[in-house]
Amino acid sequence: MEKKGFLNGNHLKLIAAFTMLLDHAGILLFPRLEILRILGRIAFPIFAFMIAEGCRYTRHKLRYFLMVFGLGTACQLVYYFASGDTYLNILLTFSCSILLIYLLQAAGQAQNWKQQFWRSAIFAAGIFLTLGMTQILSIDYGFWGIMTPVFAAFSQGKGKTGSKLPVLMLAVGLLFLAADLGGVQYYALLAIPLLLLYNGQRGKTNMKYFFYIFYPVHLAVLQGIAWLVR
C-alpha cells in the first residue's frame, strides 16, 4: 500500500474554494493583479478531481447529478436574467463530466464482450456529442474542461490501494486543457502536488452543502461589491 497523504476531501475543497474566490476577485475587482488569476488556477483541478471521486463513491448517482445540474441551472437562470449572459457556468461543465463518467463506469461494469462493445460505443458517442455541443455552446473550460474529470475516472480502481494514478491522469487532462486555453492555464498544474497528498477520506464533517452554496453566494457578493465600486 502506498503511503497516504494528510489532506482529506474537505481540506482540498476548502483550498479550492479559497483559490476560486481569489480568481473571481481578480476578474471582478482586481483585474491587474495577475497573481490572483494564477492562484485561481488551483481551484478547477481540485474540484474536477473531487467530481470524479464523487462519481466513484456516491450511492445515489441520479441524486448526485441532479444536485450539481440543478444548482448549475439555477445559477445560469439568474445570470441570464441579470445580464443576458448565456456563457454556461462550471457546474454545467461538471454536469456533463458526471454523465460521461457514468457512461464510462457502465462500460467498465459490462458482463460480457457484447455488452462491453455497446456500452463502450455509447461512451464514445457521448464524447463526440460533447465535442459537438462545445462547438455550438459557450461553456466554462470547454471540451477539455468537461473531459478533465473523466481522465481521472479512467484509472479509478486500477493499481494498488492508494494509487496516485487518477491524479496523474488528471494532470494529462490539465495539459490538454492548458494547450487549448493557453495563458495562465498551465498554472493549474500547481494543484497536482496538493492532490498527491490526498488521503482518500472525505473528512469528518459533512460540508458538501457548504461547497454547493459557496459557489453562487461568493459570486453574488463579489458582483455586488463590483457594482458598488464602479
Side-chain angles (χ1 to χ4, degrees):
M1 181 183 295
E2 297 183 19
K3 185 178 180 180
K4 288 189 175 183
F6 59 86
L7 295 177
N8 62 40
N10 285 342
H11 295 147
L12 287 169
K13 287 180 182 179
L14 285 170
I15 293 170
F18 177 67
T19 52
M20 180 173 63
L21 175 64
L22 294 179
D23 185 40
H24 291 154
I27 295 172
L28 295 170
L29 301 176
F30 308 105
R32 295 184 180 181
L33 293 180
E34 189 177 28
I35 185 62
L36 297 180
R37 302 304 315 285
I38 290 173
L39 293 173
R41 297 308 91 208
I42 294 173
F44 173 79
I46 295 176
F47 282 129
F49 183 80
M50 288 303 161
I51 284 291
E53 285 288 281
C55 291
R56 181 183 186 182
Y57 290 112
T58 184
R59 291 175 293 178
H60 306 284
K61 293 184 180 296
L62 179 60
R63 187 167 70 185
Y64 182 60
F65 167 75
L66 291 177
M67 180 76 73
V68 177
F69 179 74
L71 183 57
T73 300
C75 291
Q76 197 64 46
L77 289 173
V78 172
Y79 300 157
Y80 178 76
F81 287 115
S83 62
D85 188 4
T86 58
Y87 186 79
L88 302 181
N89 65 72
I90 190 63
L91 292 176
L92 296 179
T93 300
F94 285 148
S95 296
C96 295
S97 303
I98 292 170
L99 290 178
L100 287 177
I101 291 173
Y102 286 170
L103 291 177
L104 175 64
Q105 291 175 339
Q109 295 165 0
Q111 300 299 311
N112 54 62
W113 71 266
K114 186 177 293 187
Q115 201 175 69
Q116 177 75 61
F117 173 81
W118 285 112
R119 291 185 180 186
S120 297
I122 292 171
F123 172 63
I127 292 177
F128 281 110
L129 285 173
T130 300
L131 178 60
M133 179 197 70
T134 57
Q135 304 306 305
I136 299 170
L137 301 175
S138 296
I139 188 166
D140 206 8
Y141 285 97
F143 173 73
W144 291 112
I146 294 172
M147 288 300 298
T148 299
V150 183
F151 271 84
F154 262 113
S155 54
Q156 286 176 336
K158 299 177 181 178
K160 298 178 181 179
T161 302
S163 171
K164 303 303 182 184
L165 189 56
V167 177
L168 299 179
M169 287 297 295
L170 183 89
V172 173
L174 292 176
L175 287 173
F176 279 108
L177 179 61
D180 182 40
L181 299 182
V184 298
Q185 195 58 45
Y186 283 97
Y187 288 103
L189 292 169
L190 292 172
I192 297 303
L194 295 171
L195 289 170
L196 289 173
L197 296 174
Y198 175 52
N199 62 14
Q201 304 298 314
R202 183 181 68 180
K204 293 182 179 180
T205 305
N206 187 350
M207 300 181 67
K208 70 176 182 178
Y209 294 111
F210 166 79
F211 294 116
Y212 285 135
I213 294 171
F214 179 81
Y215 177 73
V217 169
H218 92 280
L219 281 177
V221 171
L222 289 175
Q223 188 66 65
I225 294 173
W227 285 337
L228 288 174
V229 299
R230 284 175 185 169

